[in-house]
Amino acid sequence: MKFTVQDPCQLVRKSLGDPIAEDLRFVVKAVVGEENFIDMTPNRSNNFCCGGGGGFLQAGLPEERHAYGSQKFNQIIKTGADYCITPCHNCHSQIHDLSEHFEGTFHTVHLWTLICLAMGTLGENERTYLGPDLAEVGL
Amino acid sequence: MSTEPVIKLGQKKKSLFKDSVMALLPDGGNLNMCLTCGVCSSGCPATGLADMDPRKFLRMASMGMDEEILSSPWAWMCTMCQRCIYVCPMQIDIPQLIYNVRSVKPRDEKPKGIVSSCDLALKHDTCSAMGASEEDWVFVVEDVLEEVRDSQSGFESLEAPMDKSGATFFLNQNSREPVTEPDEMVPLWKILHSVGADWTYGSKGWAAENYCMFMGDNKDWESIVRTKAKAVDDLGAKVWLNTE
Ligand code: SF4
Ligand code: SF4
């Protein structure tokens, strides 16, 4: 099972830069196992925006928003990951929607979900975004 | 050989929209420094939408095509993600140009969804773009917390502090969680609990989003930020944590 991560523009490029992207990878690798992590290309401060930012999700332009996001979708598909981890709520909404719209095979999951899953503390009602392969783990 | 010039530019020097934006920015946002290399456009996911791309938008601004750039819907398709600045050899601030195009549009010409999200946020001191009131929010947090304490072993003493004074962290939350998927707040509480973090929510100013900023309305943007900052200050929290 492979996991990739979306670098949120707001957190990485626009605020704290590559050091926070490294912190993010430290946490993600600790949670999913280093051998199960795969980066998108490009990444960190050079990453593409998912298309959920700047108010796009509320702008009433779904066609254009999907076209914008197709770049992100293809980037995720290229990694072959089963899960895309999104540490920002907007990224989660947009990438989850992209996966449905373009019929992707990956799941889109909040970082907090996987941290709790790894700690063995994820409750039954907190698993909406897990696929069937992880839905029952640790229950 | 033809004597006709290939490109005819306007005769008189106009006062350009671009110049008004440059006046607002440190170093004028470098808006006059473009080398036309195209690196911005080649890595911009909005390239091609509405027949536009960042280099084209900037060149049109430089040529004084104000009417065209001000009426282009592309200002709402650029997410102001700043990747173009990051890769530009001259660090040209195209997203700031976009922001100012958004901001000069009259309210009734801005996307309705963004305007109504901003309007809702201005309704309560919660700043929630989904219009959640202080009572709604406090109720949801208490309700979900009680459910977890009662049903999940090991979390009988889980906390989601509200309006605690002097906490280290004041935590913001995107409105969509309390309003549409409240259980998604719980993993975050558990992580904070497990690491022993000293944190609090506030009944005011807790909503993470700010659509007034996306709308390009400086006055409403400032009002939202001031309401949120005041909520943090009033509780004497040291760090304002915004999760998005
Ligand atoms: S990357 Fe910078 S210099 Fe190159 S075309 Fe874009 S704005 Fe101009
Ligand atoms: S800020 Fe706008 S123009 Fe620049 S890369 Fe992002 S979407 Fe493209």
Side-chain angles (χ1 to χ4, degrees), chain B residues 154-198:
Chain B
F155 288 103
E156 293 80 3
S157 63
L158 183 69
E159 285 192 76
M162 188 65 72
D163 293 330
K164 184 170 91 179
S165 273
T168 306
F169 301 108
F170 181 107
L171 183 66
N172 278 178
Q173 190 84 55
N174 186 296
S175 287
R176 260 171 302 195
E177 280 119 30
V179 176
T180 66
E181 43 183 13
D183 287 324
E184 285 299 326
M185 298 189 288
V186 180
L188 194 50
W189 301 347
K190 288 175 175 171
I191 294 164
L192 293 164
H193 179 82
S194 303
V195 300
D198 174 26

Side-chain angles (χ1 to χ4, degrees), chain B residues 33-40 55 58 88-90 92 94:
Chain B
M33 311 271 272
C34 178
L35 312 168
T36 69
C37 67
V39 171
C40 52
R55 176 176 59 177
L58 178 65
C88 172
M90 308 308 286
I92 294 173
I94 294 173

